[in-house]
Amino acid sequence: EPEVTQTPSHQVTQMGQEVILRCVPISNHLYFYWYRQILGQKVEFLVSFYNNEISEKSEIFDDQFSVERPDGSNFTLKIRSTKLEDSAMYFCASVRGDNQPQHFGDGTRLSIL
Amino acid sequence: QQQVKQSPQSLIVQKGGISIINCAYENTAFDYFPWYQQFPGKGPALLIAIRPDVSEKKEGRFTISFNKSAKQFSLHIMDSQPGDSATYFCAASKMGGNQFYFGTGTSLTVIP
């Protein structure tokens, strides 16, 4: 069964540094998402992406965040200048179409020192 | 603003028992309600989902009950097994919408 893959599984970065989290969504999916989950807490929506542009974003997704689909397969989340509070699990998800189930990757654990 | 409220926060059930997790929502525009199961170190995985045109959906030991008038839906796990021990999240989305709104999660422990 096709799955969403995320790399790296764990990223350790110094505060203030830029970090790029990578995702390969399922190939025939059209909608792409980033979520984050602070340890022990709920899954929080960051951003959705469709047709090569952001379609919706949350208050968390400020100017420090950006997303890109540089080619036909990768979907990336960039955090320009990381803060301690950015430490969390970041999940990528993709959906084939409207009101279809979201398929999640296994996440990248981001640790900011 | 909490779009989807989930309870309880944690649940301990004996093996063979019934686990029940409840969610409530406010936005009547929501029309897709999935439940996700998450094991430690893994991403949420879709367990079962329902649309508001039916009041119940059953898949194996998992059943969603949906009450549109009360804006509530619940997950029932019959004959709970230790392997069901995980965190369960309810979620909701609306037609044509992009965002899934997640509940706060329920940590289920099934004891042998």
Side-chain angles (χ1 to χ4, degrees):
Chain A
E1 184 178 327
E3 56 183 29
V4 176
T5 56
Q6 289 185 245
T7 55
S9 57
H10 191 190
Q11 174 81 44
V12 182
T13 302
Q14 290 286 336
M15 185 173 62
Q17 296 295 305
E18 175 182 289
V19 67
I20 297 176
L21 309 182
R22 301 180 192 279
C23 170
V24 179
I26 296 173
S27 63
N28 63 348
H29 285 193
L30 301 176
Y31 298 83
F32 313 109
Y33 306 80
W34 283 102
Y35 290 85
R36 81 170 185 193
Q37 184 179 32
I38 294 170
L39 185 64
Q41 297 186 25
K42 70 172 181 176
V43 178
E44 298 177 291
F45 170 78
L46 292 178
V47 65
S48 59
F49 193 85
Y50 171 71
N51 202 24
N52 284 321
E53 60 183 21
I54 290 173
S55 48
E56 199 168 353
K57 61 183 181 179
S58 71
E59 293 173 352
I60 303 168
F61 194 88
D62 62 22
D63 291 345
Q64 294 300 311
F65 290 85
S66 62
V67 289
E68 198 176 37
R69 188 156 162 81
D71 53 42
S73 60
N74 291 285
F75 180 49
T76 62
L77 174 70
K78 183 193 294 186
I79 309 174
R80 269 183 263 284
S81 178
T82 49
K83 308 187 211 44
L84 293 176
E85 54 264 37
D86 292 329
S87 295
M89 284 290 288
Y90 287 81
F91 292 105
C92 172
S94 69
V95 176
R96 191 175 51 161
D98 269 355
N99 274 8
Q100 294 292 315
Q102 294 196 344
H103 295 259
F104 283 79
D106 284 339
T108 292
R109 179 175 299 284
L110 178 62
S111 299
I112 306 301
L113 304 179
Chain B
Q1 183 185 4
Q2 188 68 30
Q3 295 268 6
V4 179
K5 296 181 181 176
Q6 183 172 347
S7 63
Q9 188 175 2
S10 63
L11 182 62
I12 299 174
V13 173
Q14 289 273 356
K15 178 183 173 182
I18 301 173
S19 304
I20 302 174
I21 305 170
N22 300 299
C23 281
Y25 63 97
E26 288 297 322
N27 192 338
T28 53
F30 289 149
D31 65 353
Y32 181 67
F33 303 91
W35 282 91
Y36 285 85
Q37 180 187 56
Q38 185 181 29
F39 292 106
K42 292 288 191 178
L46 178 70
L47 194 61
I48 187 172
I50 197 168
R51 299 187 193 277
D53 52 345
V54 295
S55 60
E56 187 176 280
K57 182 173 181 180
K58 185 176 181 180
E59 289 182 3
R61 295 184 296 110
F62 301 94
T63 300
I64 298 180
S65 296
F66 186 83
N67 186 330
K68 189 173 181 178
S69 61
K71 292 187 286 186
Q72 294 175 347
F73 58 111
S74 59
L75 175 69
H76 296 234
I77 306 174
M78 314 300 278
D79 187 26
S80 299
Q81 299 296 312
D84 297 331
S85 298
T87 300
Y88 292 80
F89 292 95
C90 62
S93 72
K94 48 192 173 184
M95 177 69 76
N98 289 289
Q99 185 176 161
F100 276 59
Y101 298 87
F102 282 80
T104 48
T106 296
S107 175
L108 172 65
T109 303
V110 181
I111 51 178

